[in-house]
Amino acid sequence: MINYDSIKHVRGESQFVDDFIPFEKILYGYVFYSPIAHGLIRSLDISEALNMEGVRYIFTYKDIPGQNQVGGIIQDEELFAENKVEFVGQPIALVVAENFLVAKRASRKIKIELEELKPVFDPREAYQIGSLIMPPRVFSIGNIDQAWSQCDYIVEGQVESGGQEHLYLETQGSIAFPVENDCIKIYSSTQNPTHVQRIAARVLGTSMNKIEVDVLRLGGGFGGKEDQATHWAVMAALAAKKLNTAVKIILPRQEDMRLTGKRHPYSSDFKIGLDKNGKIIAYEVTFYQNAGAAADLSPAILERTLFHTTNTYYIPNVKATAFSCKTNLPPNTAFRGFGGPQAMFVIESALFKASRVTGIDYHELQKINLLKENDEFPYGQKAKNCRAKICYETLEKKFELEKVKSQIIAFNRQNKFIKKAYSIMPICFGISFTSTFLNQASALVHIYTDGSVGVSTAAVEMGQGVNAKLLEITSKMFSISPSKIKIESTNTTRAANTSPTAASKAADLNGFAVMEACEIIIKRLKKFSAQLLNITDENKIEIKNEYVYVHNQKTELNWNELIQKAYLNRISLSAQAHHATPDVYFDREKSKGQPFAYHVYGTALIEVTVDCLRGTYKIDSVKVVHDLGDSIHPVVDLGQVEGGIAQGIGWMTVEEVIYNENGKLITDALSTYKVPDIYFAPDKIEVHFLEDSPNPFGPFKSKAVGEPPFMYGIGSYFAILKAMLEFKPDMEIKFHAPMTNERVLMSLYKNIKEKVSNHFMNAGKI
Ligand code: MTE
Ligand code: HPA
Ligand code: MOS
């Protein structure tokens, strides 16, 4: 074998300090995308754009050295469209120029001829013509066919829930640059560094060890960067390789909104059967998931919908069928809750409608059917450490539900047009990736000779505070000050083959991995301390508050000295550990198993005021009893609960994703897409963490927190609905989220419906 560096040295390709690319030489990429929802590409003429001053190159599928394929679960998505486009916003080319504006202007000079094909936007319509992403999935328990005869009441209905824009503050983006040996280094705003690495290698036709992905932090991801950060990272890598310089792609907000997928809209049918006491005997449901034009994460999201079919209720006979419908919208993707919220909105709608038919209060029905210890979920797992009932009852007591009710009654008696109502939303959310193999993570811990510590893991910080938790865990493990510890960027060369930071699992998985890596080093340090201090039994050694203790007695030996001495005695001060969640499995053929390490429970009380003349409303308060286990970081966890609630309320109320009849997104700016702001957010969010509820399956007995609180927001829909019924008891009830102001008004005043919808049709055409 010749020397590893010989060829590079001779060719002048080896990089020395002076050779690193100065970032002022960076080039900028702008994505040219399909203007139509469905069609064949007849011709593409880039010549005029390419000749513009400052334009360096225009990439199409023809420039791809490897595969033109970015699909993850299913390989059905091209990086650049070759012959066919399937949604407005589908990338066709990448213009690379000396600055962003030149690249953008040049993209306008690209000429494309398209032959339009008929698009489909509605998931039921897609289902009718057999346009499915994959075969249907069914979860069932008991015997649904026999169960109907035991029911005193059977209620059927249809439920619609809308999409949701992620609206992370930092839009999608990436910088890639070439490194010697045909390698590429990528800085990416991704939740999934390994996925970027894998797909970049595939598209570039190279091996994964030639791609390094580094993530410092994200300005939010919310699921939108689990799969869909990849495209821009891979395009930047492709351009960096070909042009041999650094290339940056940052999507402007409007393009980010147009080009990327969102939360999946669902259309669903339910049939629920109850006995005369309100016990649910049977529940049959069909979900039509609007997947958009490619699979992306839809199959996994569809599966989680099925896992959360029954929310936090025990139902002995269930049949849930789910179709992932392929339509001509941007591929929809992961979003906080990952398909769970869509299922929970349906079961709550079913209970709400059942309460109208049976005359049993909606919240009574919830309580009657709450999960109990050892109850079986439709997927075969049994509820353990079940905290459904305790959360619900603690909420009723702690927040004085009876008093709230009587205050609302008194208010409504005195007010004709302004009505108040409350609703209660109990949740149960399964913690683990439902794809069992993803439940793994690793950590690499170094102690440096001055006693400071560096920690690398697979976790990506995206505002959720995972770094704060990992810092806390490391500090507890070594019993040293947090100021001595640094959490490093997430890098594929330090944590390889990582799972995405998703499924609320990052702190659990990476927290355990950090604990295990620290434990390896602690063992070495204890053994070494015993030698130093002439103690025969190293088990009598403890490291506490930066000092070594023997038999609980503080010694003179402090942390910094210990580390110095250990180094001089050639003791390794680094360790790597891998953690895999024990005892989780799932049989996809049978749709049975134990997919979750545990469940998170909680209950929310939401109070609203609706102006029944104007259709406007206010979320007055959200009060929650939430099961967190023993929190590692109560402030971070509180922030997660509050943020999740605001985002969940937004999905149910003001956030409406609208495409026009040609599949073009018309809510593609903050002027047309409304999100909860500080004025809209509830005046009062009160969160009570369930006491004395350690979680045996989390690091330091903690529980995952990222996604579950999102689903409290569902209660806001029913609270508004209840207030509307106070005003107009005979109103026709529809389960169609989001419950925007327009929808409130149109439901209360049927005769103005046409007028208002004409107005919006016209607005849509602008
Ligand atoms: N919080 C902030 N501030 N920003 C985010 O992007 N993502 C959410 C949640 N909370 C998100 C967030 C989603 S979708 C998930 S899955 C979890 O954080 C992921 O992080 P965790 O596993 O550390 O909880
Ligand atoms: N949650 C989030 N992301 C995922 C999951 C999940 O359960 N499975 C695969 N990717
Ligand atoms: Mo979260 S939707 O699992 O990134």
Side-chain angles (χ1 to χ4, degrees):
M1 283 174 77
I2 57 164
N3 183 312
Y4 186 71
D5 279 334
S6 302
I7 291 176
K8 287 195 300 291
H9 283 357
V10 172
R11 292 166 64 107
E13 288 171 359
S14 303
Q15 288 182 318
F16 298 89
V17 176
D18 199 26
D19 299 319
F20 286 97
I21 297 160
F23 273 95
E24 64 262 29
K25 288 240 175 101
I26 202 164
L27 299 176
Y28 294 81
Y30 185 84
V31 181
F32 172 77
Y33 52 88
S34 173
I36 65 167
H38 196 195
L40 300 173
I41 301 175
R42 285 297 174 220
S43 72
L44 186 72
D45 179 4
I46 58 169
S47 52
E48 192 186 340
L50 196 54
N51 286 330
M52 278 177 66
E53 199 186 321
V55 173
R56 288 295 189 83
Y57 200 79
I58 297 178
F59 291 85
T60 66
Y61 73 93
K62 290 178 186 154
D63 298 289
I64 291 174
Q67 295 173 47
N68 181 21
Q69 182 51 250
V70 294
I73 298 174
I74 300 175
Q75 300 203 2
D76 66 349
E77 192 178 350
E78 293 168 344
L79 180 65
F80 295 123
E82 293 190 20
N83 306 312
K84 198 175 181 190
V85 286
E86 293 187 295
F87 63 93
V88 177
Q90 184 173 351
I92 297 170
L94 179 77
V95 183
V96 179
E98 278 157 20
N99 71 53
F100 173 79
L101 276 179
V102 169
K104 184 172 173 173
R105 274 190 216 121
S107 79
R108 305 267 147 85
K109 303 280 186 221
I110 294 176
K111 295 187 192 77
I112 188 165
E113 280 174 8
L114 295 150
E115 182 186 327
E116 286 204 48
L117 301 171
K118 188 178 166 343
V120 181
F121 304 116
D122 179 73
R124 289 181 192 253
E125 214 179 299
Y127 167 76
Q128 288 299 336
I129 61 171
S131 174
L132 294 179
I133 295 284
M134 56 171 212
R137 297 284 309 271
V138 180
F139 277 24
S140 64
I141 188 169
N143 187 330
I144 195 83
D145 297 321
Q146 283 174 19
W148 299 117
S149 62
Q150 302 159 36
C151 301
D152 297 308
Y153 302 99
I154 295 176
V155 182
E156 294 181 64
Q158 186 172 331
V159 181
E160 309 289 330
S161 63
Q164 186 176 25
E165 165 60 42
H166 299 86
L167 217 88
Y168 24 65
L169 286 180
E170 178 200 27
T171 59
Q172 302 274 4
S174 163
I175 296 175
F177 54 94
V179 183
E180 64 171 39
N181 267 335
D182 287 329
C183 297
I184 301 285
K185 181 160 178 180
I186 303 173
Y187 291 116
S188 168
S189 181
T190 178
Q191 291 172 240
N192 202 344
T194 293
H195 189 64
V196 169
Q197 181 193 22
R198 185 186 299 118
I199 305 296
R202 186 200 286 165
V203 171
L204 267 52
T206 187
S207 51
M208 284 172 76
N209 63 357
K210 299 216 166 194
I211 309 284
E212 175 183 347
V213 181
D214 195 278
V215 183
L216 188 54
R217 70 169 62 71
L218 274 53
F222 304 110
K225 295 170 181 170
E226 186 174 336
D227 251 31
Q228 298 203 0
T230 307
H231 306 58
W232 334 109
V234 172
M235 285 180 198
L238 179 71
K241 178 150 187 176
K242 165 102 187 172
L243 303 174
N244 199 30
T245 190
V247 176
K248 174 165 160 177
I249 301 175
I250 304 286
L251 295 191
R253 176 66 65 188
Q254 196 165 45
E255 258 93 54
D256 187 298
M257 293 176 87
R258 287 179 184 167
L259 272 54
T260 64
K262 320 201 177 299
R263 182 184 295 284
H264 294 76
Y266 274 58
S267 182
S268 313
D269 296 316
F270 69 79
K271 180 174 170 187
I272 191 166
L274 305 93
D275 71 12
K276 60 178 186 312
N277 302 317
K279 250 206 147 354
I280 311 171
I281 306 293
Y283 182 54
E284 189 169 2
V285 57
T286 307
F287 301 106
Y288 300 90
Q289 176 198 56
N290 193 336
D296 191 271
L297 288 160
S298 296
I301 292 162
L302 191 81
E303 197 175 48
R304 197 176 266 279
T305 299
L306 290 168
F307 283 117
H308 294 90
T309 295
T310 55
N311 186 12
T312 187
Y313 308 113
Y314 173 64
I315 309 180
N317 303 286
V318 177
K319 184 179 178 203
T321 308
F323 299 104
S324 183
C325 307
K326 182 175 157 145
T327 62
N328 296 103
L329 294 179
N332 286 315
T333 194
F335 198 139
R336 208 170 193 169
F338 208 71
Q342 289 93 326
M344 292 192 196
F345 182 53
V346 180
I347 181 78
E348 293 303 321
S349 298
L351 282 179
F352 194 91
K353 193 160 181 185
S355 83
R356 309 280 297 171
V357 176
T358 59
I360 305 171
D361 182 67
Y362 167 44
H363 305 299
E364 263 321 297
L365 285 182
Q366 290 179 326
K367 276 171 72 175
I368 292 167
N369 293 287
L370 281 182
L371 271 173
K372 293 184 301 299
E373 192 72 11
N374 287 321
D375 277 347
E376 189 173 337
F377 291 97
Y379 45 91
Q381 184 161 351
K382 294 204 167 132
K384 298 283 177 196
N385 300 307
C386 178
R387 290 166 186 162
K389 201 160 166 238
I390 183 156
C391 286
Y392 206 109
E393 287 174 354
T394 307
L395 176 111
E396 287 180 319
K397 265 188 251 126
K398 178 147 189 81
F399 297 114
E400 301 179 289
L401 183 64
E402 288 310 314
K403 204 165 136 193
V404 169
K405 280 191 201 172
S406 50
Q407 281 168 352
I408 288 174
I409 291 170
F411 181 92
N412 288 344
R413 223 177 262 144
Q414 283 166 12
N415 292 276
K416 191 167 172 203
F417 295 111
I418 313 275
K419 294 292 181 188
K420 282 188 185 289
Y422 76 96
S423 196
I424 297 177
M425 181 66 201
I427 60 146
C428 166
F429 195 78
I431 300 301
S432 285
F433 284 96
T434 56
S435 311
T436 302
F437 74 92
L438 290 175
N439 293 293
Q440 55 177 318
S442 66
L444 176 62
V445 176
H446 298 308
I447 305 177
Y448 296 99
T449 52
D450 64 354
S452 65
V453 173
V455 178
S456 293
T457 71
V460 169
E461 174 59 47
M462 48 185 181
Q464 89 280 37
V466 69
N467 281 358
K469 289 189 177 179
L470 295 175
L471 191 80
E472 188 69 30
I473 288 173
T474 313
S475 158
K476 274 191 176 148
M477 288 302 292
F478 286 140
S479 195
I480 59 173
S481 157
S483 65
K484 280 194 151 57
I485 303 161
K486 180 182 174 218
I487 307 297
E488 305 284 359
S489 67
T490 315
N491 185 296
T492 51
T493 69
R494 280 179 269 114
N497 310 322
T498 62
S499 298
T501 288
S504 307
K505 247 321 227 197
D508 277 18
L509 287 171
N510 295 282
F512 274 129
V514 166
M515 286 167 74
E516 286 160 31
C518 291
E519 200 52 62
I520 294 169
I521 302 177
I522 291 167
K523 241 176 138 174
R524 290 184 204 136
L525 290 176
K526 282 187 179 172
K527 188 170 167 201
F528 175 65
S529 302
Q531 278 169 17
L532 268 185
L533 300 167
N534 262 324
I535 309 294
T536 42
D537 186 359
E538 63 192 63
N539 294 320
K540 296 289 180 281
I541 305 273
E542 244 188 309
I543 299 168
K544 241 176 19 191
N545 301 325
E546 305 193 2
Y547 274 86
V548 174
Y549 282 66
V550 179
H551 293 289
N552 285 323
Q553 293 288 313
K554 191 172 170 179
T555 68
E556 302 271 279
L557 185 58
N558 69 26
W559 173 261
N560 283 13
E561 249 178 291
L562 171 66
I563 298 303
Q564 258 297 324
K565 289 194 164 133
Y567 167 71
L568 292 173
N569 282 275
R570 297 181 295 167
I571 307 290
S572 166
L573 296 170
S574 300
Q576 196 264 2
H578 173 264
H579 177 79
T581 309
D583 305 323
V584 286
Y585 61 92
F586 190 66
D587 182 337
R588 284 232 162 102
E589 298 290 304
K590 298 197 181 85
S591 289
K592 295 280 177 195
Q594 178 148 317
F596 300 118
Y598 59 89
H599 291 83
V600 169
Y601 297 89
T603 305
L605 166 65
I606 295 109
E607 292 173 62
V608 302
T609 306
V610 178
D611 180 336
C612 297
L613 273 182
R614 294 173 179 80
T616 54
Y617 47 74
K618 199 167 158 8
I619 312 295
D620 298 316
S621 67
V622 180
K623 295 165 191 165
V624 173
V625 174
H626 186 80
D627 164 28
L628 260 191
D630 294 345
S631 177
I632 295 175
H633 204 309
V635 175
V636 163
D637 284 343
L638 179 62
Q640 284 295 292
V641 175
E642 291 173 342
I645 288 169
Q647 208 166 29
I649 291 174
W651 175 53
M652 281 281 111
T653 59
V654 290
E655 295 186 42
E656 189 169 31
V657 177
I658 306 174
Y659 294 92
N660 74 6
E661 64 277 13
N662 300 316
K664 181 174 179 291
L665 183 68
I666 52 179
T667 49
D668 63 357
L670 278 155
S671 54
T672 44
Y673 188 76
K674 171 82 180 144
V675 288
D677 58 18
I678 195 68
Y679 300 107
F680 180 79
D683 292 342
K684 194 156 142 194
I685 299 183
E686 246 181 275
V687 183
H688 174 74
F689 296 137
L690 194 67
E691 282 144 0
D692 302 323
S693 50
N695 171 30
F697 307 105
F700 291 101
K701 307 264 181 278
S702 66
K703 269 198 177 182
V705 70
E707 292 166 288
F710 179 93
M711 282 147 276
Y712 293 137
I714 295 171
S716 63
Y717 185 93
F718 296 97
I720 295 169
L721 194 56
K722 281 172 74 174
M724 290 160 70
L725 286 164
E726 286 289 323
F727 178 69
K728 203 171 176 193
D730 59 348
M731 184 187 77
E732 186 195 349
I733 295 176
K734 278 195 180 154
F735 303 103
H736 191 162
M739 183 70 94
T740 56
N741 294 343
E742 303 89 282
R743 208 161 264 141
V744 171
L745 204 64
M746 288 190 280
S747 311
L748 290 176
Y749 305 94
K750 277 210 116 167
N751 50 341
I752 68 158
K753 190 167 172 175
E754 217 171 45
K755 259 188 175 166
V756 177
S757 60
N758 279 341
H759 172 81
F760 280 94
M761 290 292 287
N762 292 335
K765 284 188 191 118
I766 291 167

